[in-house]
Amino acid sequence: MIPSLRIPFQVVSTGEDIHRAVNLHELGLTPVGLRHLRSYLANGNGSTLQIVDPFSKKDWYDVKAPSMFAVRQIGKTLVTRTQGTKIASDGLKGRVFECALADLQNDEISFRKFKLMAEDVQGRNVLTNFHGMNLTTDKLRSMVKKWQTLIEANVDVKTTDGYLLRVFCIGFTKKRQNQIKKTCYAQSTQVRAIRKKMVEIMMREVSSNDLKDVVTKLIPDSIGKDIEKACQGIFPLHDVLIRKVKVLKKPKFDVGRLMEMHGEGSGTKTVVTETGEKVERPEGYEPPVMETV
């Protein structure tokens, strides 16, 4: 038995209309599905058949980027309306949106892409958090050339707020000033020294900051510039970039922290104690219960 059929952009009420007006392409059914439909109609069930437009049961939601980016409204997404035990917000959470940095910052740097994951739904707004970063394929391919050495490094490092990230770095050797020689290959000992310096700087920059500060550094790629500057004494480099960032582990979901990322709540508040000392305390802090008074 077929209680209802979902046909996009068309509502047909009776079996006669289906036999007359609908062909295989309009229905979007396989030949087997069409056979089942025809046998269903042949049994006199045409008058009870209900054809529903699938988009009539869906809602549009606004996708919001965290406050680190200049453009907060990154697009819209579609989800089926809440029905019974199937809640709409559950269908939205976990969706990953990939955006070019040029769209998020209104600038010309289009080769860097950010992944944002939907973590919470408030009204018709989907709040996202950082989920990863990588470079476009054409940018990576354009940097790889002959007569130079490619150096890569990666490291797993944890931020101060508990996110475990895997950060990848890439760099290329370049000719020294006034060099006549065609090639600029680095020796293996120099490559190892540069790779060690890369890992050291990435560890330092990520482990001493929370996720919000790390993303703020990834937008202009200040980490790549620091690596390039630090390695000049070993071998001159160019095109030093953070190639990719993966989020391996996340801490337990905290709405307050997500709201802070979106600039709608402060994570800490300043409290003045009886002695006049200013203390930073997290939002929602409650003093411990005293055993005796």
Side-chain angles (χ1 to χ4, degrees):
M1 185 175 175
I2 309 174
S4 66
L5 285 172
R6 300 181 181 277
I7 302 177
F9 314 116
Q10 187 175 9
V11 177
V12 187
S13 57
T14 64
E16 291 79 8
D17 292 335
I18 287 179
H19 278 305
R20 188 174 63 252
V22 175
N23 61 36
L24 210 98
H25 298 292
E26 288 173 343
L27 276 173
L29 294 174
T30 60
V32 175
L34 201 67
R35 266 206 309 276
H36 283 305
L37 174 62
R38 282 185 179 141
S39 65
Y40 177 75
L41 295 172
N43 293 332
N45 297 314
S47 59
T48 62
L49 189 68
Q50 292 179 353
I51 310 285
V52 183
D53 176 13
F55 285 90
S56 66
K57 292 187 177 180
K58 294 181 186 289
D59 287 324
W60 289 98
Y61 284 77
D62 295 324
V63 184
K64 300 285 184 183
S67 59
M68 296 88 76
F69 302 103
V71 179
R72 302 293 304 283
Q73 171 80 30
I74 58 170
K76 289 181 176 286
T77 188
L78 197 64
V79 71
T80 306
R81 213 173 285 127
T82 301
Q83 194 172 17
T85 56
K86 198 174 182 184
I87 301 163
S89 61
D90 292 344
L92 288 166
K93 287 173 188 175
R95 289 189 184 183
V96 177
F97 306 93
E98 191 173 68
C99 308
L101 184 60
D103 295 329
L104 291 167
Q105 291 292 101
N106 282 332
D107 61 16
E108 299 298 315
I109 303 169
S110 58
F111 60 81
R112 200 170 282 119
K113 299 182 295 180
F114 280 83
K115 284 182 181 176
L116 304 170
M117 182 186 269
E119 289 199 346
D120 196 25
V121 180
Q122 295 193 350
R124 283 297 171 92
N125 293 331
V126 180
L127 304 184
T128 61
N129 198 356
F130 176 78
H131 186 63
M133 190 275 289
N134 60 357
L135 301 183
T136 56
T137 308
D138 63 305
K139 174 66 176 176
L140 278 171
R141 300 291 182 274
S142 68
M143 292 191 299
V144 179
K145 295 169 187 157
K146 292 194 289 184
W147 322 122
Q148 62 182 13
T149 305
L150 183 153
I151 303 161
E152 283 187 299
N154 68 79
V155 64
D156 292 358
V157 59
K158 191 173 267 192
T159 61
T160 53
D161 52 352
Y163 285 85
L164 182 64
L165 306 179
R166 181 169 288 160
V167 187
F168 297 80
C169 181
I170 192 168
F172 302 88
T173 58
K174 70 173 182 180
K175 288 182 180 180
R176 296 181 189 275
Q177 206 170 359
N178 304 321
Q179 183 179 324
I180 299 164
K181 190 181 176 184
K182 185 181 181 181
T183 61
C184 52
Y185 297 128
Q187 295 176 345
S188 58
T189 50
Q190 290 171 321
V191 170
R192 282 199 295 273
I194 291 168
R195 195 175 289 123
K196 186 181 176 183
K197 190 71 79 175
M198 283 178 169
V199 169
E200 189 183 299
I201 292 169
M202 287 191 292
M203 286 276 286
R204 187 187 69 216
E205 293 292 322
V206 177
S207 62
S208 59
N209 293 294
D210 61 5
L211 186 69
K212 191 174 181 178
D213 292 336
V214 171
V215 175
T216 308
K217 288 181 178 183
L218 289 173
I219 291 168
D221 201 8
S222 60
I223 301 172
K225 292 183 181 78
D226 290 347
I227 292 168
E228 189 175 331
K229 204 179 290 180
C231 294
Q232 289 300 319
I234 304 166
F235 204 104
L237 299 178
H238 73 119
D239 285 339
V240 181
L241 299 169
I242 298 298
R243 179 174 68 83
K244 187 190 282 188
V245 178
K246 288 182 181 178
V247 178
L248 299 180
K249 279 184 185 176
K250 293 183 179 183
K252 194 176 177 183
F253 176 67
D254 182 8
V255 179
R257 190 177 286 155
L258 183 65
M259 295 304 291
E260 193 185 338
M261 292 276 278
H262 282 260
E264 295 171 24
S266 56
T268 59
K269 57 179 180 180
T270 306
V271 180
V272 180
T273 60
E274 291 177 3
T275 57
E277 186 186 355
K278 288 187 178 181
V279 181
E280 294 285 336
R281 283 188 175 157
E283 207 170 284
Y285 171 83
E286 288 188 14
V289 180
M290 297 175 70
E291 292 180 7
T292 55
V293 181

